[in-house]
Amino acid sequence: MTARQPERGAVLTEDMKRVVREQRLGFVATVGPDGTPSLSPKGTTRVWDDEHLVFADIMSPGTVANLQANPAVEVNVVDPIARKGYRFKGEAAVLTEGPVFDEILAFYENGTPPMQGARSRIRSLVMIRVERALPLVSPSYDLGLTEEAISATWWDHYAGLRSRRQHHPDPPSPS
């Protein structure tokens, strides 16, 4: 993953777009009414263009209310295997109607992958104008470890978790 500068006029590099496209899960930080941070995962995080990210409000009333009161936002998207990603800082706009709303909604309905029932599930859309994008890199790289070595460690970790879950499934929840 490189942090090279994007093309003139662009904020998002091709690598940044790749990470968002591959991971799709962004952790969105907003500021609550009491001035404290609020963090919420958004599984609909997508690249809109060279300067904007978007996510769908499916069940995000707190995030949307925070952004309507204060549009400052940071989105972190990280590859959990490579332990690298990006933090995107900017301003958000909450869209509930209009041509841009319709265009983004169609993007979700027809995207890769298409969102099942997008029109009935999406309450609003959030467009983030990225003003600054910075790399997030695990301190493990400071030890001289390669991406391949770090990735192998995490693949092994997740394989172990999966194996344990298959052999010891969670007991049923009490009714």
Side-chain angles (χ1 to χ4, degrees):
M1 188 171 314
T2 62
R4 68 179 181 77
Q5 290 299 313
E7 295 178 23
R8 185 180 157 117
V11 173
L12 303 175
T13 66
E14 288 307 312
D15 193 61
M16 292 172 188
K17 292 176 186 178
R18 178 193 61 79
V19 171
V20 173
R21 185 176 56 252
E22 290 177 359
Q23 299 307 315
R24 296 197 309 250
L25 179 62
F27 290 88
V28 176
T30 59
V31 180
D34 61 356
T36 61
S38 179
L39 185 68
S40 183
K42 305 296 176 209
T44 59
T45 306
R46 303 289 189 277
V47 172
W48 179 246
D49 60 25
D50 288 345
E51 299 175 358
H52 295 89
L53 298 177
V54 293
F55 68 85
D57 163 22
I58 296 173
M59 295 185 69
S60 306
T63 301
V64 168
N66 289 348
L67 291 171
Q68 287 171 325
N70 180 345
V73 65
E74 180 172 317
V75 180
N76 286 200
V77 180
V78 177
D79 178 332
I81 302 297
R83 307 308 254 202
K84 291 181 178 181
Y86 293 96
R87 59 191 309 167
F88 305 99
K89 292 177 174 273
E91 266 194 25
V94 178
L95 308 171
T96 57
E97 61 183 15
V100 175
F101 176 88
D102 293 338
E103 193 176 345
I104 298 171
L105 183 60
F107 175 72
Y108 279 102
E109 288 177 315
N110 304 312
T112 306
M115 180 186 287
Q116 194 97 8
R119 193 161 296 272
S120 62
R121 295 174 61 207
I122 293 175
R123 299 174 189 191
S124 63
L125 295 160
V126 176
M127 178 178 272
I128 300 160
R129 182 173 45 83
V130 178
E131 297 167 352
R132 193 166 149 208
L134 301 167
L136 289 171
V137 181
S138 170
S140 297
Y141 288 94
D142 294 343
L143 301 172
L145 297 173
T146 65
E147 185 170 321
E148 292 75 25
I150 291 171
S151 294
T153 298
W154 288 102
W155 281 121
D156 289 347
H157 171 75
Y158 289 116
L161 288 176
R162 183 174 186 198
S163 176
R164 282 191 294 278
R165 287 180 183 163
Q166 288 173 340
H167 291 92
H168 305 287
D170 291 335
S173 299
S175 300

